Amino acid sequence: MSWRFVSLPPQDGYHMVTSFVSVAEYVSRGGKDTFLVFSVKEPFVNVGVHQEVWLEVDLDYTLKNNIPVVRRDLGGGTVVITQGEHDYFIVVRGENAPSDPKTLYERFLTPVVDVLKDYGLNATLRDQDIVVNGKKISGNGAMTHGKAVVIAGNILMRADTRLMSKCIKVPSEKFRDKIAKDMSEWITSLERELGYVPPREELDKKLKESFESHLNIKFEESTLTPEEIETWEKLASEKRNEEWIYYKDRRHPELKTERCVKISSSVAVCHLDYKARKLIRITAKFVEGKIDEVSISGDFFVMSPKGFLETLEDRLRGVTPSRVHEIIDSTFLEVKPIIFGFSAEDLKKAFQEILNKPEVQEVLG
């Protein structure tokens, strides 16, 4: 089977997060499965599609230092993308990709694991990440777009944990120091493990050989088609729009709290972070015994369908707490979402925790 191998020059953040969407549209129209590689021109903060920017990013620091905040179409957590990583995007037709996320990651990330092993590193796949001696060296995610499946990932060549910690929102500067220390303990890089940074051309050669061997394919060196480039430019321009970057924040303009607050005898706003396989963040406003508004965010991956969380949030508005589990179950049953990071049971447990908060109980009576 023949695949395209496309190597692009360094890109800005808006072009990085739209490259694979453009290629996915090409693949959906019957184009060849594609392996895309490149790096970035300058650092930027990359926010997951299901996250609220104000909860994740230190906007004072990023604005002061002209570091763009870019929202991608892919789930997962907020990451700071720097010139120190080698980015790849695997875009395949849906029939060539397992529907189960675990099997999908195993098939398409095992070749990357083997490239790292070829450098003598103790690399293993852990969920959708690749770790070396327990430290993350490669973060990955997946999504569907049209008739295509996208696996997006990177190999950390150099890790600037200081910059990463400064861009992430933290409760205090003391906590930021702890975050920077923690990052250096659970993130690693080729430079740290090998003592040097291999040339990108060498990495590409090893990636090509590993994927060809594991997937029984043959790469052909290629470029993007004129149609892909046209679509790409259009999408990159759209991603600069603040309506998109802050869409999750603007969808819930009144739900700006990181704790539980009783506003009056009949109104409370409450926030909860719940750790399933991935982090679920729920912020809800309760008015006169009902859910007035709710936001569900986090670093999980909703592979399909698009807009699932918004549908669920809308269905939970105006309901009494006794119906929350029923609404979650019926929505999951009807829509049948493919999610990596949490289940319907996890979400029900998270909601139960927020409903049990004293501030909420006082309002619900």
Side-chain angles (χ1 to χ4, degrees):
M1 185 186 299
S2 177
W3 280 40
R4 294 190 308 170
F5 189 93
V6 181
S7 179
L8 295 172
Q11 304 292 322
D12 62 37
Y14 306 103
H15 281 84
M16 177 188 168
V17 304
T18 50
S19 57
F20 56 86
V21 181
S22 173
V23 174
E25 293 195 5
Y26 156 85
V27 171
S28 293
R29 294 192 299 268
K32 288 186 176 183
D33 293 346
T34 301
F35 194 102
L36 186 69
V37 294
F38 57 83
S39 58
V40 297
K41 290 179 180 177
E42 59 190 6
F44 71 96
V45 182
N46 192 2
V47 179
V49 68
H50 307 304
Q51 295 189 301
E52 295 181 71
V53 174
W54 78 273
L55 275 170
E56 310 292 345
V57 182
D58 187 330
L59 291 171
D60 289 338
Y61 180 82
T62 55
L63 288 170
K64 180 181 177 182
N65 291 276
N66 296 314
I67 299 174
V69 176
V70 182
R71 182 186 294 276
R72 60 186 183 271
D73 287 293
L74 193 69
T78 293
V79 291
V80 181
I81 308 295
T82 71
Q83 298 95 323
E85 64 180 60
H86 196 58
D87 300 293
Y88 55 79
F89 301 91
I90 306 157
V91 189
V92 299
R93 290 186 292 277
E95 62 265 27
N96 295 334
S99 58
D100 171 58
K102 184 176 184 294
T103 309
L104 177 77
Y105 289 129
E106 286 176 351
R107 175 178 294 181
F108 292 109
L109 295 181
T110 298
V112 184
V113 171
D114 281 3
V115 166
L116 296 172
K117 285 182 176 178
D118 193 54
Y119 279 106
L121 303 181
N122 179 29
T124 55
L125 183 62
R126 187 167 66 191
D127 290 334
Q128 82 279 21
D129 294 329
I130 299 172
V131 299
V132 172
N133 297 323
K135 295 180 179 180
K136 181 175 173 178
I137 198 169
S138 170
N140 302 271
M143 65 175 282
T144 57
H145 184 87
K147 297 179 181 179
V149 174
V150 178
I151 301 92
N154 60 60
I155 296 173
L156 284 174
M157 304 177 76
R158 224 181 243 111
D160 189 346
T161 54
R162 178 180 169 277
L163 178 64
M164 293 175 185
S165 68
K166 286 185 174 294
C167 292
I168 302 302
K169 185 173 181 180
V170 294
S172 68
E173 287 307 309
K174 183 178 179 181
F175 193 83
R176 191 183 305 283
D177 293 338
K178 181 180 184 302
I179 288 289
K181 182 175 182 295
D182 288 347
M183 280 184 174
S184 67
E185 291 176 354
W186 58 262
I187 290 177
T188 191
S189 65
L190 290 177
E191 181 180 52
R192 183 171 179 180
E193 297 295 328
L194 301 176
Y196 71 98
V197 178
R200 293 183 189 273
E201 296 77 13
E202 180 180 290
L203 264 182
D204 287 344
K205 183 174 183 293
K206 288 180 179 291
L207 285 167
K208 283 191 282 188
E209 291 172 351
S210 187
F211 271 84
E212 285 182 333
S213 173
H214 277 277
L215 302 183
N216 193 26
I217 61 173
K218 189 68 180 175
F219 281 121
E220 60 178 43
E221 297 288 339
S222 186
T223 58
L224 298 183
T225 66
E227 291 80 10
E228 284 174 289
I229 293 172
E230 182 180 355
T231 301
W232 188 19
E233 292 296 340
K234 177 175 177 291
L235 292 170
S237 177
E238 291 173 355
K239 285 294 180 285
R240 295 176 184 273
N241 191 327
E242 288 197 353
E243 289 293 330
W244 164 252
I245 297 169
Y246 298 99
Y247 99 87
K248 191 78 174 175
D249 304 55
R250 294 182 179 186
R251 178 174 163 80
H252 307 288
E254 295 182 2
L255 296 184
K256 294 280 194 296
T257 183
E258 295 178 74
R259 57 196 182 96
C260 288
V261 181
K262 181 182 174 184
I263 297 172
S264 70
S265 60
S266 62
V267 179
V269 179
C270 197
H271 175 88
L272 173 78
D273 285 350
Y274 182 88
K275 192 72 172 80
R277 289 186 74 181
K278 289 290 188 178
L279 181 67
I280 305 170
R281 286 184 150 171
I282 298 175
T283 311
K285 183 179 181 182
F286 299 88
V287 178
E288 295 182 348
K290 295 181 179 181
I291 297 175
D292 182 69
E293 187 176 2
V294 63
S295 171
I296 304 168
S297 63
D299 60 0
F300 43 79
F301 298 85
V302 180
M303 292 182 61
S304 69
K306 189 175 182 180
F308 168 72
L309 288 182
E310 287 76 11
T311 297
L312 182 57
E313 288 174 352
D314 289 343
R315 291 184 179 184
L316 287 168
R317 285 178 180 169
V319 306
T320 57
S322 62
R323 294 195 60 218
V324 168
H325 287 198
E326 171 200 335
I327 297 295
I328 292 173
D329 283 336
S330 63
T331 304
F332 269 75
L333 185 63
E334 176 191 336
V335 181
K336 296 180 174 59
I338 298 176
I339 299 172
F340 186 85
F342 74 88
S343 65
E345 290 304 311
D346 291 322
L347 196 56
K348 288 191 289 185
K349 288 177 183 176
F351 266 98
Q352 195 56 55
E353 282 199 20
I354 207 168
L355 292 170
N356 289 340
K357 294 288 184 181
E359 296 84 355
V360 175
Q361 285 292 307
E362 288 179 26
V363 168
L364 296 178

